Amino acid sequence: GGSYKAYHDLIGGWDFNGDMTLFVDKIQSDPFAPPSRCHLRVPQSVARFPPSLFDTPAKRVALCDILTRSFCTLVRRGGLDQAAGGGGW
């Protein structure tokens, strides 16, 4: 529960034992600012997707799409998709 400025210390990469890296790209500056932005990188050696799922640009987009949709579903089910009223989204 620190101030919004204190959250800026989170910007950067956070490695989880080489299995994945969470990157915090942008932190919202106040409760009414656009939401924070982050991305997750998982090495192929960990994810182990068959190469046939991403061997063309269209397949790569499709794989990213299904992963993103699956992640959003899990976030919603877990009740983690909270937004501050009056701004952001």
Side-chain angles (χ1 to χ4, degrees):
S3 70
Y4 277 89
K5 290 189 188 238
Y7 289 118
H8 283 244
D9 292 341
L10 297 174
I11 292 175
W14 299 84
D15 182 65
F16 292 85
N17 298 321
D19 290 339
M20 63 182 160
T21 306
L22 173 66
F23 293 91
V24 179
D25 303 315
K26 177 186 171 294
I27 298 290
Q28 74 184 100
S29 55
D30 62 65
F32 304 102
S36 299
R37 188 174 50 238
C38 59
H39 69 278
L40 186 69
R41 185 173 297 156
V42 179
Q44 171 60 10
S45 61
V46 173
R48 299 182 354 168
F49 292 115
S52 61
L53 292 181
F54 57 90
D55 60 359
T56 68
K59 288 181 182 180
R60 199 167 18 259
V61 168
L63 178 60
C64 289
D65 180 66
I66 193 66
L67 291 172
T68 302
R69 290 173 188 266
S70 298
F71 176 78
C72 288
T73 297
L74 292 172
V75 167
R76 282 191 201 105
R77 282 186 190 156
L80 302 172
D81 58 341
Q82 305 300 311
W89 301 92

